[in-house]
Amino acid sequence: MPVANEDEPLLSNSKSCNVWCDSSKVIVQDEHELTGEVLPEVSEQFTLQWLKEEAEEEDVVRVMTQLLAARPELEASLLTAINACQVGMRTLQRKSTWPSFFDPGMEHQEEVLEDRPTDVPRLRFTTCSYFVGEEEEKVEIEVTRSGNLNYPSKVHLHTNDLSAKAGVNYVPESRMLVFKPGVDSITVSVTLIASDEWSPTLEFEVILESSSTANAELDVYGRCARVKIDDKDAFPSNVVDVRKLSKSLSWEHLRQALENAPLLILMSEYLKLNFRNDTVRRGTIKMLMALQCHHLYGILRLFLSVLLVDKVFKGGEEFPSEPPQSLSDFLHSRPGMLVCVMCGMLVPFAFLHYLDYVSMTWRVGGASRAQLLSALVRRLLHYDVSSRIDIKQGAEIMAMSKDVEDIVQNGYMGVLEIISHLQNLATVLAYQVISRLILQEPISPWSIAPLAVHPILLALFAVCRRSATIHVQQAENVERASLVSQMQSVTLNNTIIRNLGGVAKAIDQFERGIASFNASCINTMQVMKNNMYFANWMGLVMLAAYTLVGGLEVVDGKMRMGIFLADITLFTQINITWSMICSRGVEINSILPGLERVVILMNLPTDLPDRRKLLRHLVSASRGMRSIMETNSPEKRLHLDDLPLFLKAEDLNILPLLHA
């Protein structure tokens, strides 16, 4: 830190001075140097050199103590200067080869430039963001070099995945860029891969490696560039392109187009889109296998129950009366078979417990939720002006707080649960056939009737009730969205409401909205409850009929007691399974209005095409300016990245400026 001389200060507030700045250096010049006026030499340089290199710690402390004793009013200024020096050294000094802000020879610009090592050129991307359409075959990325171009420079460039994946959305690139003497830019082409699959704004990085540079240094803000690919595909797929069905890409026209669009097909396309996610696909396969293990365990329990009733409890002559003499004899005795039944119940159940515990780490629901939420946020941040104005109030909040959760839990996870229940029914059918063959019993049509009758009746019921169900669900969603809009309006305008005396009116309006929403919820719950009870009634009627018919066959000796009891258990299980399938189907229908809102939000236009045009214009203009500057002679060449900034002001104090 320079110590000011009382007679001739190093930087006086009464003098005007110039500060010459660029991105990495600041040089202070006295006005007399610029005008050519010669100043008398002073001993300040010698004093500073001695304090920096030769003085001991106690010498520095002694000098500072004497200075503060003679000038106590300088204490605050010295503390401020010390703090500014520390901040400046940490944040403003970019490289050790550049002159320090507080170099004692700082005011002598020509001496500093002569003593500095050879100027190292700087490398950076022309821009930190590139915008390109998916229909384009490639994107051209330009790396520029500024500074001393008389020597060759090297740097390694490579791509890195973000939301765009190498080999799927673009061809990965990794190469060494060699700048020959006099070359100030190199253009690298990255090939794009077109795909018909929808995705949000795809991004990947292009990075310059600092460890691979030779005779160059990387610019702080230009060593990494992001490439954004504007995806033209519709959400969730191009099978049902809502944008083509709509008159324009406005909210109202998209909503009207969705009224005539097959929402169930949209739902199936979303399921396929979600399944293409690697994490979701692997977790889904594991989950279905784990659920199948649960179904097989249920069938095992049925076999064990038949074994207990028909072999262990009713069997008499089949078991020897003498005590078992070996392990084989023990296993064929009543106690041995009971031990086998006990192990058959406990050991598989422990394995199922472990599978259910591990399944929490498969991230099926989490990855599905993250994919939708991330896509929504990406679209929202890239909407154009018309889309931002056109979005219905509260639609974004409803989509991210409720609709996404419903689509994932009641949609994708609900479909997985339905598939699991269908697996269970297939396992039950296999048991009915295999158990009869093993026990040499005839296959009764009554035992497999529920598997054939249930789906037909449920399909007919779903077709008849679909319109009523969708109507009450849409009414509930309208009331819910209206309530959310009122809540958002009250939150944003609470000051105006209070100042204009509208508190009572706002409360009454909000309470009426709550009452309307509650009434719509009651209607929806009543319709859903009736839908679910249909499957229960159907299963109960079949169970009662089989109890009568099968019970008579047991009384007549035409059917074993164990098989009859197992069939009763299976009928109950089939009834529960079809009820859960019906319930899940109703829940899947309930998410269709939310899916409609998400589809609209995903298909509103973005500003990426406008950003692409603007960026390409700026890059072209910058390239033209650079070519104009390079036409000058080498002595007068001025690179755009090194343009100096001259500040002139009276009473300029540099330390508080740097501290700020």
Side-chain angles (χ1 to χ4, degrees):
M1 181 185 68
V3 179
N5 187 288
E6 188 174 357
D7 297 328
E8 295 182 351
L10 178 63
L11 185 61
S12 173
N13 290 338
S14 61
K15 294 183 178 181
S16 64
C17 63
N18 297 318
V19 182
W20 184 77
C21 307
D22 70 0
S23 59
S24 60
K25 48 188 175 293
V26 176
I27 297 178
V28 181
Q29 288 184 315
D30 192 79
E31 189 177 20
H32 295 286
E33 290 182 325
L34 296 177
T35 58
E37 183 177 349
V38 180
L39 295 177
E41 295 185 359
V42 297
S43 59
E44 181 182 283
Q45 184 71 23
F46 172 79
T47 305
L48 290 175
Q49 193 73 16
W50 174 76
L51 287 173
K52 287 177 57 178
E53 299 180 359
E54 300 180 9
E56 300 292 338
E57 181 178 353
E58 56 270 17
D59 295 332
V60 177
V61 173
R62 177 171 50 80
V63 171
M64 296 298 295
T65 303
Q66 293 178 0
L67 178 61
L68 289 175
R71 301 283 299 278
E73 68 276 6
L74 295 178
E75 181 179 0
S77 299
L78 286 174
L79 291 177
T80 302
I82 292 173
N83 291 333
C85 181
Q86 293 175 349
V87 173
M89 294 297 289
R90 285 196 305 265
T91 60
L92 298 177
Q93 187 177 9
R94 290 178 51 181
K95 295 288 183 180
S96 60
T97 56
W98 297 96
S100 171
F101 285 98
F102 300 97
D103 195 328
M106 195 172 181
E107 68 277 14
H108 302 289
Q109 178 183 351
E110 295 182 359
E111 295 179 6
V112 172
L113 294 177
E114 290 176 358
D115 297 337
R116 191 183 68 189
T118 304
D119 187 14
V120 179
R122 281 180 290 171
L123 304 177
R124 69 181 312 275
F125 290 104
T126 302
T127 177
C128 295
S129 299
Y130 288 87
F131 298 91
V132 62
E134 189 184 31
E135 70 280 1
E136 300 183 37
E137 296 181 355
K138 60 183 179 179
V139 54
E140 293 186 349
I141 300 170
E142 186 178 26
V143 182
T144 61
R145 184 172 66 148
S146 62
N148 187 357
L149 307 182
N150 296 326
Y151 302 95
S153 301
K154 293 182 180 180
V155 66
H156 187 266
L157 176 145
H158 68 89
T159 55
N160 184 43
D161 288 353
L162 293 176
S163 57
K165 304 302 178 184
V168 178
N169 306 109
Y170 70 97
V171 178
E173 191 72 38
S174 179
R175 65 170 68 178
M176 179 67 72
L177 303 182
V178 180
F179 291 83
K180 296 181 179 180
V183 176
D184 65 344
S185 65
I186 292 180
T187 301
V188 179
S189 296
V190 179
T191 304
L192 303 179
I193 302 176
S195 174
D196 292 334
E197 298 179 3
W198 177 89
S199 59
T201 52
L202 297 171
E203 294 182 78
F204 65 91
E205 286 182 320
V206 187
I207 301 174
L208 300 177
E209 294 183 0
S210 57
S211 59
S212 64
T213 57
N215 190 36
E217 64 177 7
L218 299 183
D219 191 88
V220 176
Y221 303 105
R223 62 182 61 189
C224 176
R226 284 197 172 196
V227 180
K228 294 187 178 183
I229 306 174
D230 185 15
D231 190 1
K232 300 297 185 181
D233 299 313
F235 175 85
S237 74
N238 292 327
V239 174
V240 182
D241 193 344
V242 184
R243 300 172 303 181
K244 294 181 179 179
L245 300 176
S246 177
K247 296 179 181 178
S248 67
L249 296 182
S250 65
W251 180 283
E252 190 60 29
H253 285 161
L254 287 173
R255 187 192 62 79
Q256 293 175 2
L258 281 173
E259 291 180 354
N260 302 321
L263 294 180
L264 291 179
I265 296 180
L266 281 176
M267 184 66 198
S268 64
E269 292 301 316
Y270 162 71
L271 297 178
K272 292 191 290 186
L273 170 68
N274 197 42
F275 188 75
R276 285 194 288 266
N277 186 300
D278 293 337
T279 303
V280 175
R281 182 172 60 254
R282 289 193 297 265
T284 299
I285 295 173
K286 293 178 183 177
M287 185 173 293
L288 291 177
M289 294 176 64
L291 292 173
Q292 184 61 29
C293 291
H294 279 274
H295 305 327
L296 294 177
Y297 177 68
I299 298 302
L300 176 62
R301 292 285 299 270
L302 289 175
F303 271 113
L304 294 178
S305 64
V306 173
L307 178 64
L308 282 175
V309 174
D310 292 341
K311 296 294 182 181
V312 179
F313 296 147
K314 294 184 63 176
E317 299 178 356
E318 301 176 0
F319 298 100
S321 57
E322 296 83 4
Q325 302 297 325
S326 63
L327 179 61
S328 177
D329 294 339
F330 174 76
L331 293 177
H332 287 83
S333 64
R334 275 195 174 93
M337 296 193 71
L338 289 174
V339 171
C340 291
V341 170
M342 180 190 69
C343 293
M345 292 180 179
L346 296 179
V347 175
F349 187 76
F351 176 69
L352 293 177
H353 182 188
Y354 172 75
L355 279 182
D356 289 343
Y357 176 79
V358 175
S359 66
M360 299 296 103
T361 63
W362 292 340
R363 299 174 53 204
V364 178
S368 304
R369 193 180 303 108
Q371 182 178 9
L372 266 185
L373 287 175
S374 175
L376 272 174
V377 171
R378 288 178 181 274
R379 299 295 293 189
L380 289 173
L381 293 177
H382 291 91
Y383 281 152
D384 59 11
V385 178
S386 62
S387 298
R388 293 191 184 97
I389 297 174
D390 197 30
I391 291 178
K392 300 298 181 181
Q393 190 177 25
E396 312 101 308
I397 299 175
M398 283 288 296
M400 288 189 280
S401 62
K402 181 182 182 297
D403 297 338
V404 168
E405 185 68 22
D406 289 344
I407 291 172
V408 172
Q409 292 300 326
N410 299 334
Y412 190 81
M413 302 300 291
V415 169
L416 291 187
E417 189 171 338
I418 290 177
I419 294 175
S420 172
H421 292 321
L422 294 177
Q423 286 179 331
N424 187 22
L425 294 176
T427 307
V428 168
L429 178 61
Y431 165 79
Q432 292 286 58
V433 176
I434 295 174
S435 62
R436 261 59 175 192
L437 295 177
I438 293 176
L439 299 175
Q440 298 180 353
E441 291 285 338
I443 300 176
S444 174
W446 283 94
S447 62
I448 60 175
L451 299 174
V453 176
H454 268 79
I456 298 175
L457 295 179
L458 284 176
L460 293 175
F461 179 79
V463 172
C464 296
R465 295 284 289 178
R466 183 174 182 273
S467 59
T469 303
I470 292 179
H471 175 73
V472 295
Q473 290 169 350
Q474 288 178 341
E476 180 186 353
N477 276 274
V478 169
E479 294 297 336
R480 188 191 301 273
S482 176
L483 187 62
V484 171
S485 298
Q486 291 184 26
M487 293 172 59
Q488 190 177 25
S489 177
V490 170
T491 302
L492 296 175
N493 304 313
N494 65 87
T495 304
I496 299 176
I497 293 173
R498 286 187 284 107
N499 293 339
L500 297 180
V503 175
K505 182 178 179 180
I507 293 175
D508 293 340
Q509 184 179 1
F510 188 70
E511 289 179 348
R512 287 195 298 270
I514 294 175
S516 300
F517 175 67
N518 288 339
S520 64
C521 287
I522 292 173
N523 292 334
T524 303
M525 288 188 293
Q526 287 177 337
V527 172
M528 297 301 180
K529 186 63 69 175
N530 287 333
N531 292 345
M532 288 186 290
Y533 258 94
F534 175 78
N536 293 332
W537 272 108
M538 187 171 53
L540 185 60
V541 170
M542 289 189 176
L543 177 60
Y546 183 73
T547 301
L548 176 61
V549 176
L552 292 176
E553 291 185 355
V554 173
V555 172
D556 295 338
K558 297 180 180 180
M559 183 184 296
R560 294 187 182 185
M561 176 66 72
I563 293 179
F564 173 74
L565 295 177
D567 286 344
I568 292 294
T569 303
L570 283 178
F571 268 66
T572 305
Q573 183 177 347
I574 291 172
N575 182 24
I576 295 173
T577 301
W578 280 115
S579 298
M580 297 182 70
I581 290 176
C582 183
S583 175
R584 275 301 186 181
V586 170
E587 291 177 352
I588 290 175
N589 267 326
S590 68
I591 71 171
L592 295 181
L595 177 63
E596 176 183 300
R597 184 163 34 241
V598 171
V599 168
I600 294 175
L601 289 172
M602 292 293 194
N603 289 292
L604 287 174
T606 65
D607 63 350
L608 290 180
D610 297 333
R611 288 176 178 265
R612 179 175 55 183
K613 293 179 182 178
L614 177 61
L615 180 66
R616 292 183 177 180
H617 171 73
L618 294 176
V619 170
S620 177
S622 299
R623 188 180 295 113
M625 292 175 63
R626 190 167 62 245
S627 63
I628 293 174
M629 300 303 298
E630 290 173 353
T631 57
N632 298 331
S633 60
E635 295 80 9
K636 298 181 179 180
R637 180 178 297 174
L638 186 61
H639 296 279
L640 297 178
D641 292 338
D642 294 327
L643 288 176
L645 175 66
F646 291 95
L647 300 177
K648 276 191 175 184
E650 296 289 338
D651 300 330
L652 179 63
N653 192 344
I654 190 64
L655 291 180
L657 179 63
L658 293 177
H659 181 60

